Amino acid sequence: MKNNSDPTQQRKLHDLDQILAQEIRGQSHLLPRIASVLKRGELSLTKLHRPRGSFLFLGPTGVGKTEVTNVFTNHLFGAEKLFRCDMSEFQTQESIGLLLGAKVG
Protein backbone atom coordinates (compact mmCIF):
# COMPACT_ATOMS: atom_id res chain seq x y z
CA MET A 1 0.00 0.00 0.00
CA LYS A 2 1.29 3.45 -0.89
CA ASN A 3 2.10 6.04 1.70
CA ASN A 4 0.01 9.10 0.84
CA SER A 5 1.08 11.28 3.75
CA ASP A 6 2.56 13.86 1.33
CA PRO A 7 0.64 17.07 2.13
CA THR A 8 1.19 18.40 -1.39
CA GLN A 9 -0.44 15.35 -2.98
CA GLN A 10 -3.28 15.45 -0.46
CA ARG A 11 -3.91 19.11 -1.31
CA LYS A 12 -3.93 18.27 -5.02
CA LEU A 13 -6.51 15.54 -4.43
CA HIS A 14 -8.60 17.84 -2.27
CA ASP A 15 -8.59 20.56 -4.94
CA LEU A 16 -9.23 18.20 -7.87
CA ASP A 17 -13.01 18.74 -8.07
CA GLN A 18 -12.59 22.50 -8.04
CA ILE A 19 -9.79 22.48 -10.64
CA LEU A 20 -11.77 20.26 -13.01
CA ALA A 21 -14.88 22.44 -12.63
CA GLN A 22 -12.85 25.60 -13.29
CA GLU A 23 -11.09 24.30 -16.37
CA ILE A 24 -13.75 22.14 -18.04
CA ARG A 25 -17.10 23.47 -19.26
CA GLY A 26 -20.08 21.40 -20.35
CA GLN A 27 -19.03 18.13 -18.71
CA SER A 28 -20.27 18.75 -15.16
CA HIS A 29 -22.15 15.43 -15.12
CA LEU A 30 -18.88 13.48 -15.60
CA LEU A 31 -16.34 15.45 -13.58
CA PRO A 32 -17.36 14.12 -10.12
CA ARG A 33 -17.08 10.54 -11.40
CA ILE A 34 -13.64 11.16 -12.86
CA ALA A 35 -12.47 12.86 -9.67
CA SER A 36 -13.81 9.99 -7.54
CA VAL A 37 -11.90 7.35 -9.52
CA LEU A 38 -8.71 9.39 -9.41
CA LYS A 39 -8.98 10.01 -5.66
CA ARG A 40 -9.60 6.33 -4.88
CA GLY A 41 -6.66 5.31 -7.03
CA GLU A 42 -4.27 7.84 -5.52
CA LEU A 43 -5.33 6.94 -1.96
CA SER A 44 -4.77 3.22 -2.68
CA LEU A 45 -8.42 2.35 -2.13
CA THR A 46 -8.37 0.07 -5.15
CA LYS A 47 -7.06 -3.47 -5.57
CA LEU A 48 -3.34 -3.92 -5.15
CA HIS A 49 -1.31 -4.17 -8.38
CA ARG A 50 -4.14 -2.63 -10.42
CA PRO A 51 -4.12 0.69 -12.29
CA ARG A 52 -5.10 3.76 -10.28
CA GLY A 53 -7.85 4.39 -12.76
CA SER A 54 -8.79 3.48 -16.27
CA PHE A 55 -10.71 5.78 -18.56
CA LEU A 56 -12.08 5.42 -22.06
CA PHE A 57 -13.33 8.80 -23.25
CA LEU A 58 -15.54 8.49 -26.31
CA GLY A 59 -17.34 11.09 -28.35
CA PRO A 60 -17.12 13.34 -31.35
CA THR A 61 -14.34 15.83 -31.92
CA GLY A 62 -14.48 18.90 -29.73
CA VAL A 63 -16.37 17.63 -26.68
CA GLY A 64 -13.38 17.86 -24.33
CA LYS A 65 -11.95 14.36 -24.07
CA THR A 66 -8.34 15.46 -24.43
CA GLU A 67 -8.84 18.60 -22.36
CA VAL A 68 -10.20 16.64 -19.36
CA THR A 69 -7.23 14.28 -19.54
CA ASN A 70 -4.73 17.13 -19.83
CA VAL A 71 -6.21 19.02 -16.88
CA PHE A 72 -6.22 16.17 -14.36
CA THR A 73 -2.87 14.76 -15.52
CA ASN A 74 -1.14 18.13 -15.29
CA HIS A 75 -2.72 18.86 -11.91
CA LEU A 76 -1.97 15.53 -10.23
CA PHE A 77 1.16 14.22 -11.93
CA GLY A 78 2.72 16.91 -14.11
CA ALA A 79 2.67 17.41 -17.87
CA GLU A 80 5.51 14.94 -18.53
CA LYS A 81 3.44 11.97 -17.27
CA LEU A 82 0.77 11.99 -19.99
CA PHE A 83 0.80 9.06 -22.41
CA ARG A 84 -1.46 9.69 -25.38
CA CYS A 85 -2.66 7.03 -27.79
CA ASP A 86 -4.27 8.75 -30.78
CA MET A 87 -6.72 6.45 -32.51
CA SER A 88 -7.82 8.94 -35.18
CA GLU A 89 -6.29 6.87 -37.97
CA PHE A 90 -8.78 4.06 -37.19
CA GLN A 91 -11.93 5.93 -38.24
CA THR A 92 -12.83 3.82 -41.26
CA GLN A 93 -13.94 0.21 -41.49
CA GLU A 94 -10.87 -0.71 -43.56
CA SER A 95 -8.42 0.76 -41.07
CA ILE A 96 -10.15 -1.00 -38.17
CA GLY A 97 -9.49 -4.25 -40.05
CA LEU A 98 -5.79 -3.42 -39.97
CA LEU A 99 -5.97 -2.92 -36.21
CA LEU A 100 -7.88 -6.15 -35.54
CA GLY A 101 -6.10 -8.29 -38.10
CA ALA A 102 -7.33 -10.24 -41.08
CA LYS A 103 -10.43 -12.39 -40.80
CA VAL A 104 -9.91 -16.15 -40.75
CA GLY A 105 -10.73 -17.79 -44.08
Side-chain angles (χ1 to χ4, degrees), residues 3-97:
N3 181 3
N4 285 303
S5 60
D6 179 17
T8 305
Q9 190 66 10
Q10 288 180 3
R11 173 54 60 190
K12 287 180 181 181
L13 289 173
H14 183 267
D15 295 342
L16 184 60
D17 293 299
Q18 180 182 355
I19 296 294
L20 286 173
Q22 278 178 337
E23 299 290 326
I24 306 299
R25 302 282 181 236
Q27 300 292 340
S28 59
H29 60 290
L30 295 176
L31 298 179
R33 291 179 178 179
I34 294 168
S36 175
V37 170
L38 290 167
K39 287 177 181 180
R40 280 181 292 178
E42 283 301 296
L43 294 172
S44 299
L45 300 176
T46 57
K47 293 181 180 178
L48 192 61
H49 304 299
R50 298 295 304 244
R52 294 177 187 159
S54 219
F55 301 96
L56 182 59
F57 296 124
L58 303 172
T61 301
V63 296
K65 303 176 297 286
T66 303
E67 188 63 25
V68 169
T69 305
N70 286 336
V71 169
F72 76 69
T73 303
N74 290 339
H75 179 68
L76 291 178
F77 313 114
E80 70 280 354
K81 297 291 184 176
L82 180 63
F83 175 79
R84 182 175 176 187
C85 181
D86 186 359
M87 300 297 285
S88 63
E89 67 247 28
F90 298 107
Q91 292 182 354
T92 66
Q93 189 69 28
E94 294 79 28
S95 60
I96 291 174

